[in-house]
Amino acid sequence: MTISKIKRIIRRENWTQAEVAKKLGISQGHLSKVLRSKSTPRPELQAKIDRLLETYGGRISPGELASRVEQAALKSSHFRAMIEAALKIVK
């Protein structure tokens, strides 16, 4: 469901409804109605929501990413070496 995905992204990215509404070009009040299923987005707004979901829907939060990398590094010495090499490059 689109609404649950938006709510999940809002929580994960630690955004306020006002921040998301600004990204979508609507008022916070209108976004609130959409999230409570009190208003159905018009096609233009739905397209903006779809783009937001495409951009942020597959992203992993920084904390979750760090946790996954740490677990993978503990399981694989080759992965750990690759991460250490990558960190040297970005320093």
Side-chain angles (χ1 to χ4, degrees), residues 67-83:
S67 176
R68 288 184 185 186
V69 168
E70 181 180 19
Q71 291 302 311
L74 291 171
K75 291 179 183 178
S76 169
S77 60
H78 295 294
F79 182 79
R80 181 184 177 103
M82 180 183 71
I83 294 300

Side-chain angles (χ1 to χ4, degrees), residues 10 17 20-21 24 26-36:
I10 289 171
Q17 282 189 13
V20 175
L24 296 173
I26 61 174
S27 71
Q28 182 274 326
H30 185 70
L31 177 62
S32 177
K33 288 178 183 177
V34 170
L35 294 177
R36 290 182 289 125

Side-chain angles (χ1 to χ4, degrees), residues 5-6 9-10 12-13 15 23-24 46-61:
K5 288 179 184 178
I6 295 169
I9 291 168
I10 289 171
R12 187 186 66 220
E13 300 294 328
W15 288 337
K23 290 176 187 302
L24 296 173
Q46 187 61 55
K48 290 178 182 180
I49 291 170
D50 291 344
R51 282 193 296 278
L52 183 80
L53 292 174
E54 284 176 22
T55 303
Y56 294 96
R59 284 186 41 187
I60 300 170
S61 70

